[in-house]
Each structure stands twice: as C-alpha cells, then as structure tokens.
Amino acid sequence: MAVRSVIVLPTYNEAENIVDLLRAVRRAAPDTDVIVVDDSSPDGTADLAEGVAAEVGGLKVLRRRGRASLGDAYRYGFTVAFDEGYPVIVSMDADFSHDPAVIPTMLGLIDAGADAVVGSRYVPGGGTVHWPLHRRLLSKWGNRYTAAALRISVHDSTSGFRAYRAERLRAIDPAATTAEGYAFLTELVRELVLDGAHVVETPILFRDRVRGTSKMSWPIILESMVLVTRWGVADRLRRLRPASRRRG
Ligand SMILES: Nc1nc2c(ncn2[C@@H]2O[C@H](COP(=O)(O)OP(=O)(O)O)[C@@H](O)[C@H]2O)c(=O)[nH]1
Ligand SMILES: [Mg+2]
C-alpha cells in the first residue's frame, strides 16, 4: 500500500479550471486525497469543487473567510493536513500550470528519501511554455537572485508544485511563517534548508494558464524582493556570528 498523501490546493476564482483539474488529479494520482483551500472565491469555485466531491472522492473543501492570501491559504491547509495525520503533503496550483502526471514522480522521490521535492523549471528538462516574456524574466532572475541572496542551491524557490515529508514540514512550523504571496514558497524552502532538510528538485514544464486570470500583482512581487533581501542579510549576519541561533 502506498503511503497516505494529500494535495493542498489553494484556489481563488478558479471556476473555469477546478472541476477539470480535480478530475485530472484523480486520474493521475488515484490514491492521493485533496484539500481545496478556497478564499471565498466570488465565482463559486468552492461550490463547484463540492459538486464533484462525490465523483472524485477523497476530497475536502475548506472555505476561508477574510483576506485572500496564498500564504494564509497554505498555512491553513497545511495545519489541517497535519491534524489529519497525512505523512506526505503535495502542493500545486489549480490552473493547470502544474501537470498532475508529475505527482507520482514526486511521491516516489519522497519514498526514496527526500524530505521535500520541488518541481523545478530551472533544472535540465524543466521549462516554461506559453509564459509571457515579462513573467519568464521575472521568475528566472528572481530565482537567481534568491539562490544567491540566500546561498541555497534550489533553482526554483517560487515553484508551488512540491511534495513534503509532513514531519519535516511540521518541524519548521509553517504556521509561524509570515509571507503572503509567492514569497511564502521561498520562505518555506529557506526554512527547510536552514533546518537541514534534504530538498531535491525534479524538472517540470510549467504551462501558463489557459483559463481564468493570474493573481500576481506588484505588491506581491515587491513583498518577495523585500523579504528575500531581508532574509539574505539575516542569514549573512548569522554566519558572521556562529554562536547565535538559527532563524532571524
Ligand atoms: N486560496 C487562495 N488561493 C490563491 C490566492 N492567490 C492565488 N491563489 C491560487 O494559487 C495558485 C497560483 O496562483 P496564480 O494566480 O495562478 O499565480 P501565478 O501562476 O503566479 O500567475 C492558483 O491555484 C490560485 O487560484 C489567494 O489569495 N488565496
Ligand atoms: Mg498560475
């Protein structure tokens, strides 16, 4: 029997994608449960997800109220996944940018000993398809800056397509993270690396969404630049003072 696993799937206005995506996930990963974390999407995403729950099976829909934030949605979804005792937690986007066919590969890498698997656009075999030039440049150079500032060897810290060994994720206490946008994903990678976790990357082809709209915004981009710079400085200061404790 395969290890129990769950996909935490944050959604905001994914009405045009959610039903097909849940069906595709079920085909690709028949034994993996799904927790949809919806931020009260005005387009009715949560209702649509619930509408196929019986058909898809192993599906729970969480509805959050209050401010919509990717970081908050993940913090909440991970807490529920921990409480339910899943040993492996997968994260992915709900817009078909992440191919569900990669999920078994990720689960296999966790099984083989990885603590976390990052689906990476920036390792051999990985890439982006149909992504506008400005998004490609922002992502590629943002990730290069992140790797240099944080001195980590992960090439795609902002990828949301991942698998985690739950006990390793729990050890860094994701509920205590603070980033709201995709910087949350970088925050987790940094904390995992600082904690000595074995983080591996597997290539993915990231496809731009065909339906629905991106929630990317200037404040989210700015948050990421500011936080990465701040973490980079904090990590450097800590290295200068080896006696001090981790996290800064
Ligand atoms: N629950 C929740 N999900 C979000 C929020 N922002 C984005 N998402 C979801 O996170 C995933 C990635 O967001 P997306 O807009 O596609 O970002 P992009 O791929 O960087 O353009 C998608 O599944 C979105 O529906 C949010 O504030 N709350
Ligand atoms: Mg997207």
Side-chain angles (χ1 to χ4, degrees):
M1 246 266 313
V3 170
R4 279 176 76 229
S5 54
V6 66
I7 302 166
V8 173
L9 193 70
T11 57
Y12 192 74
N13 285 347
E14 299 292 358
E16 294 171 85
N17 292 308
I18 190 67
V19 170
D20 290 344
L21 182 83
L22 290 170
R23 288 182 176 140
V25 162
R26 184 47 69 240
R27 282 194 297 275
D31 302 319
T32 302
D33 290 346
V34 182
I35 297 177
V36 169
V37 188
D38 186 73
D39 280 357
S40 304
S41 297
D43 72 354
T45 301
D47 293 334
L48 289 168
E50 252 162 24
V52 287
E55 174 199 325
V56 167
L59 170 64
K60 177 174 275 195
V61 181
L62 307 177
R63 297 166 189 258
R64 283 188 352 107
R65 276 181 199 84
R67 184 172 48 151
S69 133
L70 186 67
D72 281 353
Y74 271 127
R75 281 184 277 273
Y76 184 50
F78 287 159
T79 303
V80 172
F82 293 151
D83 288 349
E84 303 210 347
Y86 289 99
V88 179
I89 300 173
V90 174
S91 70
M92 71 185 291
D93 293 354
D95 58 358
F96 281 99
S97 287
H98 298 152
D99 182 356
V102 181
I103 295 169
T105 307
M106 292 184 163
L107 297 179
L109 288 165
I110 295 280
D111 205 34
D115 293 319
V117 180
V118 174
S120 179
R121 294 163 285 199
Y122 309 116
V123 294
T128 57
V129 183
H130 296 141
W131 225 20
L133 181 66
H134 70 279
R135 288 295 308 264
R136 287 210 310 268
L137 291 175
L138 177 70
S139 174
K140 186 171 175 181
W141 288 97
N143 268 299
R144 288 193 176 176
Y145 174 63
T146 299
L150 304 184
R151 295 198 192 167
I152 56 175
S153 57
V154 178
H155 298 83
D156 198 347
S157 298
T158 56
S159 169
F161 199 9
R162 300 176 174 180
Y164 306 93
R165 192 178 297 280
E167 62 183 318
R168 254 354 201 110
L169 185 59
R170 198 170 195 159
I172 59 159
D173 191 10
T177 57
T178 56
E180 301 291 344
Y182 65 83
F184 167 79
L185 297 161
T186 308
E187 190 172 17
L188 284 191
V189 163
R190 168 177 176 260
E191 299 267 346
L192 284 165
V193 170
L194 283 175
D195 202 38
H198 178 38
V199 181
V200 307
E201 290 179 279
T202 194
I204 60 162
L205 272 184
F206 178 102
R207 281 168 211 281
D208 193 15
R209 62 164 71 238
V210 176
R211 295 186 231 151
T213 46
S214 168
K215 283 94 216 172
M216 176 69 93
S217 65
W218 281 109
I220 286 175
I221 296 167
L222 194 67
E223 179 201 41
S224 176
M225 290 166 126
V226 169
L227 286 179
V228 168
T229 303
R230 189 187 293 164
W231 292 328
V233 170
D235 291 350
R236 253 150 246 248
L237 288 176
R238 191 180 19 250
R239 282 192 196 95
L240 290 174
R241 288 181 278 113
S244 63
R245 307 295 299 173
R246 65 169 207 95
R247 290 202 190 196

